[in-house]
Amino acid sequence: MAIQTTTAGAATDNGQRIGRRIGKKLWTDRYFYLLALPGMLFILLFDYVPMYGIVLAFQDYNPFAGIMHSDWVGLGHFQRLFRHPDFWMVLRNTLVISLLNLVLYFPAPIILALLLNEVRAQFFKRTIQTIIYLPHFVSWVVICSLTITLMNSEGIITQVVHWLGFPDVKLLMDKRLFWGIITIQSIWRESGYGTIIFLAALAGINPELYEAARVDGANRWQQIRAITMPALMSTVVILLLLRLGHIMNLSFDQLFIMGNPMVSDVAEVFDTYVFKAGVLQGNFSFAAAVGLFKSLVGLVLILGSNWLSKKTSDHYLF
């Protein structure tokens, strides 16, 4: 009995010491936590609290009965999704567009950051940075409207294509061109803004490494290959892993506006499919099931890719 009492007392003392240590740490860094508080509240309110709505995916949700009193259907909505004749088409379109963005868009900010890092005239460098940042702040509605104006039957780009000897090409109605147009739009809009993280990583490289390389006779390309790229690798891998976790998420605004009946076979993705088959028809439970399926695929991809990166390199998320 005495031993048990002593053990319980020691555990209590350890708990009190840990509590005091945590309290002291919170008080010492109180201003940092205060600055982080708005972001933490945003994530809590808009990311964690809505998770309660996941139960809709397993119910036949009735807005009048509410979540607590709607009938349960188990995996019925998932079976309906997988048996739907459009499921494989939607999955193919989502994966292809995401992979095109991954292969063509993801390297673009890295290349831009490397090019900007080589510019020595600061005024010119800042001017270029400002110009390439601006498209990020333009809404998809404006960008898609501009694209449609340039590529319709009377648009400038269409006229140039006809002048080059392709009179029968209808750019906005050609299924073969749709994925390329979407990818180019994403690259133009987001590449400049995506350079911010990579430029920050480049700014943290010790300048003495470049000086030592120049003393050894290394040219600019050799310095990039031996110093810059290895320094960027950690940032590249982490962003790539995060990107894989969002591979099922695409821009709804972009694809909904650019899509039309002539290209629906290549334009329908999960985001637009949920809106049309779920929200417009009032099938909220079905829409929740599709959203949960997307989230599970993203979770599997990010866990798998992180495990693979952890086994093959020193760069991983957790």
Side-chain angles (χ1 to χ4, degrees):
M1 181 66 67
I3 295 176
Q4 293 179 351
T5 304
T6 303
T7 304
T12 303
D13 293 339
N14 289 334
Q16 291 176 350
R17 283 197 296 270
I18 293 174
R20 287 194 296 268
R21 192 180 305 119
I22 293 175
K24 183 178 179 181
K25 181 67 175 177
L26 290 174
W27 178 254
T28 303
D29 298 331
R30 59 189 181 278
Y31 296 114
F32 294 104
Y33 291 110
L34 186 62
L35 288 174
L37 183 61
M40 296 169 63
L41 289 176
F42 179 87
I43 293 175
L44 176 66
L45 292 176
F46 293 97
D47 290 337
Y48 284 94
V49 173
M51 283 185 181
Y52 178 70
I54 290 176
V55 297
L56 268 67
F58 306 96
Q59 293 180 331
D60 184 13
Y61 176 67
N62 186 335
F64 299 100
I67 295 179
M68 300 300 297
H69 302 288
S70 296
D71 297 330
W72 287 88
V73 296
L75 300 176
H77 295 299
F78 295 94
Q79 295 173 354
R80 174 187 169 190
L81 172 65
F82 298 143
R83 293 173 181 172
H84 198 282
D86 293 335
F87 171 75
W88 293 108
M89 176 195 70
V90 175
L91 180 62
R92 178 203 64 189
N93 296 339
T94 303
L95 291 178
V96 169
I97 295 175
S98 295
L99 289 175
L100 285 174
N101 285 333
L102 192 65
V103 174
L104 300 177
Y105 159 70
F106 186 77
I110 304 174
I111 296 172
L112 274 175
L114 292 174
L115 293 175
L116 287 172
N117 190 55
E118 297 301 313
V119 177
R120 293 294 174 260
Q122 291 300 314
F123 175 78
F124 180 72
K125 180 178 180 179
R126 287 195 295 267
T127 303
I128 296 298
Q129 283 180 280
T130 302
I131 293 173
I132 64 177
Y133 289 169
L134 289 178
H136 173 78
F137 300 99
V138 180
S139 70
W140 276 119
V141 176
V142 175
I143 293 175
C144 293
S145 299
L146 179 61
T147 304
I148 293 172
T149 301
L150 294 174
M151 291 187 173
N152 61 25
S153 57
E154 303 297 330
I156 296 175
I157 296 179
T158 303
Q159 297 301 321
V160 171
V161 171
H162 291 174
W163 178 75
L164 292 174
F166 302 94
D168 298 330
V169 174
K170 297 180 180 179
L171 300 176
L172 296 175
M173 300 182 182
D174 194 330
K175 297 179 182 179
R176 299 168 299 178
L177 302 176
F178 182 80
W179 289 340
I181 293 172
I182 293 298
T183 304
I184 291 172
Q185 283 181 330
S186 300
I187 293 174
W188 180 77
R189 184 176 188 263
E190 300 294 347
S191 293
Y193 191 77
T195 61
I196 294 176
I197 296 178
F198 297 108
L199 287 173
L202 290 172
I205 300 176
N206 190 349
E208 295 180 357
L209 296 176
Y210 292 106
E211 295 176 3
R214 284 193 294 269
V215 171
D216 291 338
N219 55 35
R220 296 302 303 175
W221 170 246
Q222 291 171 332
Q223 293 175 36
I224 293 175
R225 187 176 59 184
I227 300 175
T228 308
M229 290 306 299
L232 278 180
M233 193 53 60
S234 177
T235 304
V236 170
V237 171
I238 290 175
L239 292 180
L240 179 60
L241 293 176
L242 294 175
R243 182 79 179 180
L244 288 174
H246 293 275
I247 200 169
M248 300 292 285
N249 296 327
L250 296 170
S251 174
F252 168 79
D253 297 342
Q254 178 191 19
L255 291 162
F256 185 75
I257 297 173
M258 292 300 298
N260 60 70
M262 299 299 295
V263 297
S264 60
D265 291 344
V266 295
E268 196 75 70
V269 297
F270 279 112
D271 297 277
T272 57
Y273 180 71
V274 166
F275 178 73
K276 295 176 183 177
V279 179
L280 290 183
Q281 299 178 14
N283 298 322
F284 301 109
S285 294
F286 181 69
V290 178
L292 182 57
F293 168 74
K294 288 173 48 183
S295 300
L296 290 176
V297 172
L299 177 63
V300 171
L301 285 174
I302 196 169
L303 290 177
S305 56
N306 183 75
W307 176 83
L308 183 62
S309 178
K310 192 173 183 179
K311 292 294 184 180
T312 57
S313 69
D314 297 328
H315 310 295
Y316 48 87
L317 288 174
F318 47 83

